[in-house]
Amino acid sequence: MRYIKSPQITPNKISHIFEELVGLPSVTAVYPFRVSPSYAGLIQKQGDAIWRQCIPDVRELEDTEQCADPLAETALSPVPGLIHRYPDRVVLLVSNRCPVYCRFCMRKRHVGEGDAPLDTFALERAFEYISAHPAIRDVILSGGDPLMLEDESLGFILRRLRAIRHVSIIRIGTRMPVTLPERITPELCTLLKLFHPLYVNTHFNHPDEITLLSVRACNLLADAGIPLGNQTVLLRDVNDSVETMKELVIGLLSLRVKPYYIHQMDLVRGTGHFRTSVSTGLEIIRGLRGHVSGLAVPQYVIDLPNGKGKVPILPDICERKGNVLILRTYLGELVPYLDL
Ligand SMILES: *Cc1c(COP(=O)(O)O)cnc(C)c1O
Ligand code: SF4
């Protein structure tokens, strides 16, 4: 398995541009730093939404209480690199690199430059496991970013998965349309098209990430017949307002990207300064539901610790009085509804 060569800006260059960076080397000694020129180019000023997502912050080191792997992904791995939590689907971690190391990453323990991609031996064990478990219908390639693999390596993995009769759906979770949109080439799309039904879930967090290049990347994928979804992480001082999320989900829908999840921040060590309260997330859903196309409204989910799975949560809209439900409309009106 081989990685693509992804362009990056060196920390020195960033420190040179932004003089007030404190403690960068101490943070990057623990949590690696990497940013692509195109993503760094979206920074308009220090401390903006793009900056916060990619520039190391000393608070990462101050957050020591939380667990590196709260979702127990390692414990749920029957073979290295494969997470089997739900009966019918697995996550295959094929890469531990990304063009940008997002500071809020839930796999902070795992992503890092020194690491090699899953080797062929580990991959063979994963393919064997999937082949031996006919209940597995859906395989999700994740990482790191799976599209850090060269087309040839990716093609090898996809061919092997498609050869397993009971695998009907393949999903790729990637932030490339945002972090390195030039990676989405016509050649890549021609390759991916061979493996339908193949879904891509991407990861936009902020409307400023919708650019000419990311639009082009999504268009190429959608034109290859690939259904596109988006997973957003709710991040303090990045996208924790109704206005920002509204602009994001409406923008995504116009790119043929269906907002799929808004994730409550996982309790991952080194990411505490990004966490918002759950009421913030509920407020956002309340601000979206009914106010924008239903297609644009994602599910707000908490991925429970210890691998208990994702649970969708909704604003408190329902009260029961006998067989009458009191439902709150999107305008806040309480309306009785007769149940059986
Ligand atoms: C999120 C996740 C999935 C996929 O969940 P969906 O709700 O089907 O998108 C599968 N396995 C693991 C371990 C996950 O964390
Ligand atoms: S692209 Fe995804 S896996 Fe990579 S650092 Fe960002 S959030 Fe983590």
Side-chain angles (χ1 to χ4, degrees), residues 73 83 85-86 89-91 107 138 140 171 231 260-261 303 310:
E73 292 188 327
I83 310 167
R85 178 204 285 166
Y86 299 105
R89 52 211 192 276
V90 289
V91 175
R107 300 220 176 92
D138 179 354
I140 302 161
R171 293 194 243 178
Q231 311 199 170
Y260 179 50
Y261 283 145
D303 211 340
K310 296 181 183 69

Side-chain angles (χ1 to χ4, degrees), residues 94-137:
V94 294
S95 141
N96 24 35
R97 275 195 204 176
C98 309
V100 175
Y101 289 131
C102 310
R103 308 322 297 174
F104 54 84
C105 181
M106 55 92 69
R107 300 220 176 92
K108 252 175 129 82
R109 67 177 193 285
H110 171 75
V111 297
E113 283 202 64
D115 296 319
L118 211 54
D119 62 36
T120 336
F121 177 73
L123 271 175
E124 289 303 332
R125 290 187 62 195
F127 297 144
E128 268 168 37
Y129 180 90
I130 297 168
S131 305
H133 290 78
I136 299 172
R137 269 188 282 126

